Amino acid sequence: MKSGSNLEKVLSSGQFALTAEAGPPKGTSAAAVKRKGDILKTCCDALNVTDNQTAIVRMSSISGCVLLKGMDVEPIMQMVVRDRNRIAIQSDILGAVALGIRNILCLSGDHQSFGNHPSAKGVYDIDSIQFIQLVKTMRDEHKFLNGEDISGDVPLYIGAAANPFADPFEFRVRRLAKKIKAGADFIQTQGIFDMDKFSRWMTIVCDEGLDQKVHILGGIIPIKSVGMARYMAKNVAGISVPDELVKRMQGAKDAKEEGVKIALETIEQLKEVDGVHGVHIMAIAWEDIVPRIAEEAGLMPRPIL
Amino acid sequence: MIVAEPKELAEVLEMVAPYDEILVVGCNTCMADCSAGGQKEVERLAKDLVAEREDLIVEKTTIPRQCSIKFIERLQDKVRGFKAVLSMGCGNGVQMLARQFPDIHVLPALNTRFIGAKDENGVWNETCMACGNCILWRTGGICPVTRCAKGLLNGPCGGSKDGKCEISKDVPCVWQEIYYSLNRLNLVHYLKDEAPKSGTRIHPRRVVKKDSRLQLLV
Ligand code: SF4
């Protein structure tokens, strides 16, 4: 075991994993984090705690993780290089491990110009691939980026993101390969709405044998309304929402029900795609739908290992 | 070239407020190319200043480059008698004038922006940030350190779409351009290799050439 985390155990045992996302509040309420923890506790193997997602200031990911740990929910600490240089990154990793965090998701982060402090200085001292490599070196060689020794273990299960829908398509698998080579143990993909494109991507991934080297969790974003579908199609970087899907949401009598149906259909299809080892549900401001989706997708109960 | 923009006239007026006489010094290389501080712009600024302040005596001169001591030395006679000089050079030009004439208040008429190129009429783009660790040979002649919004060394990131960067539909994703450029050159395998290390960013920077120093001693 690299980290001994629950997520690592579930994935290594060959079971179909389920993770979900819990964004910390734009404030100081521990109860807000715990409420999400309560809802998602039994229906997922680990919970991603976002790191100032879309560059909007929120409670830190580390503290969200610690709050979840306190209620026996396993966190995945998301960390972006947008706001930290290599000193801060390594220091936060040491602290996170000391606090019992065992999963990390290494991201570059949405550009600060999207957020509520658009003139903030973007740090980007290292990029996401160098970041993955840094964590792996800390874990496997007990060394900092400068080669100095770290005292103590750094048991972290290393995650990375992949977006099969960004351009150029031909390059996307290559980029995944680079992340795996750098040290990624698991991958959470961007929300999947274009199953065709995703399957094409996965075929190349499997042809190159990459599915043997990493656990890929397909991203699910349950859609609540036509407005949300339209918004994502137009405004969210890196998401591709086909027109048919917008039309389907538009034609639906009960938009929320239709959204759940779409999510369930996507999970059903993902179970059949070679090389997909789980799903990651990002129900933004709609966490209470996750238990139902998990149940109806036949993913309950979650394994206890 | 170095690209600069003229300061707002109000700020220039504030800087020259304490003085009755001013010498405007243009710089006729980069600053002329970016339409910020060449001979033409010196004329215009002089006119604008007098229009706002009738009492102000404005003299003008333009040298080929304010970054060369040999041209600055030629100003020796021109600056005599002035308490203040308004430089239309880049930040380096302003500082070289200030060092050469320590008893004169040298004022910057421009905001120096970046090292860049003119891409279309009236539009300049940053191309190089002088990071001190040039990797252009492996990125198809396009600099990601400067031109990718996140300065990524392993791009394109997940936000890249239809050739555009995630930050705006008006900003090209240079990592896509790099990809196509390397494809054209049959060098796309460079992208598979490990990324080069990020350069150092310690300021102030300095270049020392041992052989040139020796020559000076002789
Ligand atoms: S979209 Fe392209 S240019 Fe923009 S941050 Fe990502 S890699 Fe850099």
Side-chain angles (χ1 to χ4, degrees):
Chain A
M1 284 276 132
K2 292 167 172 169
S3 69
S5 77
N6 185 52
L7 181 64
E8 181 178 7
K9 286 180 196 153
V10 171
L11 285 169
S12 326
S13 70
Q15 300 185 67
F16 200 78
L18 199 168
T19 57
E21 182 173 293
K26 240 172 129 177
T28 56
S29 164
V33 179
K34 289 182 182 156
R35 197 183 58 81
K36 292 190 182 179
D38 264 331
I39 298 170
L40 301 169
K41 192 172 177 168
T42 51
C43 67
C44 56
D45 305 316
L47 252 187
N48 283 51
V49 184
T50 50
D51 180 8
N52 298 296
Q53 77 265 33
T54 60
I56 288 172
V57 180
R58 293 170 178 277
M59 183 189 289
S60 69
S61 174
I62 292 194
S63 19
C65 288
V66 171
L67 289 168
L68 290 179
K69 265 215 69 114
M71 51 195 301
D72 276 332
V73 182
E74 177 167 290
I76 299 171
M77 176 177 65
Q78 297 197 179
M79 196 186 275
V80 300
V81 297
R82 177 193 61 223
D83 309 323
R84 295 173 179 78
N85 68 8
R86 59 193 82 180
I87 298 174
I89 289 172
Q90 294 177 98
S91 159
D92 279 348
I93 288 173
L94 297 181
V97 170
L99 290 165
I101 294 164
R102 292 292 174 262
N103 305 300
I104 183 169
L105 186 74
C106 304
L107 304 167
S108 54
D110 298 310
H111 195 269
Q112 63 276 10
S113 63
F114 287 113
N116 58 357
H117 292 71
S119 55
K121 182 171 196 289
V123 179
Y124 302 109
D125 184 22
I126 56 174
D127 69 21
S128 58
I129 292 177
Q130 294 167 317
F131 182 14
I132 295 165
Q133 203 165 26
L134 173 149
V135 183
K136 184 177 159 68
T137 311
M138 288 178 83
R139 181 188 69 196
D140 296 349
E141 294 168 36
H142 294 96
K143 292 220 185 293
F144 290 110
L145 194 60
N146 64 353
E148 281 176 23
D149 290 334
I150 299 172
S151 62
D153 289 333
V154 188
L156 283 172
Y157 200 48
I158 306 172
N163 185 2
F165 311 106
D167 290 327
F169 180 71
E170 330 78 82
F171 180 67
R172 290 293 137 191
V173 176
R174 214 166 253 179
R175 188 167 160 82
L176 173 73
K178 243 175 147 174
K179 289 193 171 183
I180 296 170
K181 198 168 157 210
D185 300 308
F186 69 98
I187 298 289
Q188 291 173 323
T189 76
Q190 178 60 278
I192 302 162
F193 298 106
D194 186 343
M195 198 37 118
D196 242 31
K197 201 166 190 180
F198 182 77
S199 308
R200 265 190 290 143
W201 182 73
M202 277 307 298
T203 307
I204 314 176
V205 168
C206 294
D207 285 349
E208 303 210 350
L210 296 174
D211 59 316
Q212 306 298 319
K213 297 182 183 157
V214 80
H215 298 289
I216 296 176
L217 279 60
I220 302 286
I221 303 178
I223 316 176
K224 241 177 164 173
S225 62
V226 206
M228 180 178 168
R230 280 210 197 98
Y231 179 83
M232 285 197 303
K234 268 210 205 101
N235 302 315
V236 180
I239 291 194
S240 126
V241 183
D243 289 342
E244 305 87 75
L245 201 122
V246 179
K247 278 197 202 114
R248 183 169 161 191
M249 286 300 289
Q250 205 164 15
K253 268 207 205 87
D254 184 337
K256 282 188 174 180
E257 274 309 307
E258 200 64 29
V260 173
K261 244 179 157 174
I262 294 170
L264 287 169
E265 286 167 18
T266 313
I267 296 175
E268 250 357 273
Q269 287 167 315
L270 283 177
K271 284 185 190 164
E272 301 304 317
V273 177
D274 274 344
V276 173
H277 297 175
V279 287
H280 173 53
I281 305 180
M282 296 163 272
I284 304 141
W286 197 17
E287 284 80 8
D288 30 333
I289 199 63
V290 179
R292 185 180 147 199
I293 293 178
E295 187 67 53
E296 291 180 22
L299 297 173
M300 294 295 282
R302 298 311 308 153
I304 296 168
L305 295 165
Chain B
M1 68 169 142
I2 295 175
V3 178
E5 282 177 313
K7 282 186 181 286
E8 295 286 337
L9 189 60
E11 191 182 345
V12 180
L13 284 165
E14 187 189 334
M15 288 189 286
V16 302
Y19 305 105
D20 306 323
E21 295 174 346
I22 193 110
L23 174 69
V24 182
V25 183
C27 180
N28 226 15
T29 308
C30 302
M31 295 305 111
D33 281 351
C34 67
S35 311
Q39 199 157 12
K40 233 170 59 201
E41 290 75 30
V42 169
E43 296 294 334
R44 195 181 314 139
L45 180 62
K47 233 193 243 150
D48 291 349
L49 284 172
V50 178
E52 293 292 324
R53 259 191 70 185
E54 282 169 17
D55 64 309
L56 189 68
I57 298 170
V58 180
E59 280 196 30
K60 308 161 284 192
T61 185
T62 298
I63 56 175
R65 292 197 283 120
Q66 291 186 22
C67 55
S68 161
I69 195 70
K70 95 176 170 240
F71 295 122
I72 292 178
E73 275 169 351
R74 291 189 201 159
L75 292 171
Q76 203 72 46
D77 292 333
K78 283 253 165 58
V79 301
R80 196 159 293 137
F82 283 98
K83 290 201 180 78
V85 163
L86 189 55
S87 162
M88 297 192 82
C90 69
N92 178 52
V94 174
Q95 294 180 61
M96 287 193 64
L97 288 182
R99 193 166 55 188
Q100 184 67 17
F101 309 116
D103 301 322
I104 296 176
H105 191 186
V106 181
L107 314 170
L110 310 177
N111 290 323
T112 306
R113 297 296 306 277
F114 46 74
I115 303 176
K118 181 175 177 171
D119 284 342
E120 46 188 292
N121 268 342
V123 179
W124 288 265
N125 282 307
E126 185 176 15
T127 52
C128 171
M129 56 186 203
C131 75
N133 185 26
C134 193
I135 53 163
L136 284 165
W137 63 280
R138 48 188 303 162
T139 56
I142 300 166
C143 176
V145 179
T146 310
R147 294 166 67 186
C148 161
K150 299 176 184 172
L152 303 180
L153 289 175
N154 293 279
C157 76
S160 156
K161 192 86 202 160
D162 302 327
K164 300 295 178 209
C165 170
E166 67 171 37
I167 65 163
S168 157
K169 294 205 162 52
D170 300 326
V171 177
C173 169
V174 288
W175 266 108
Q176 285 206 46
E177 292 179 7
I178 291 170
Y179 180 78
Y180 293 124
S181 171
L182 288 176
N183 241 343
R184 242 184 344 261
L185 297 167
N186 265 324
L187 292 173
V188 94
H189 59 273
Y190 281 0
L191 296 182
K192 268 198 196 159
D193 301 345
E194 224 164 89
K197 292 260 177 320
S198 311
T200 43
R201 291 164 207 176
I202 299 163
H203 285 89
R205 296 180 286 190
R206 131 186 282 192
V207 172
V208 178
K209 275 198 177 162
K210 287 221 180 74
D211 42 349
S212 326
R213 278 173 81 88
L214 283 177
Q215 276 171 19
L216 286 179
L217 289 176
V218 176

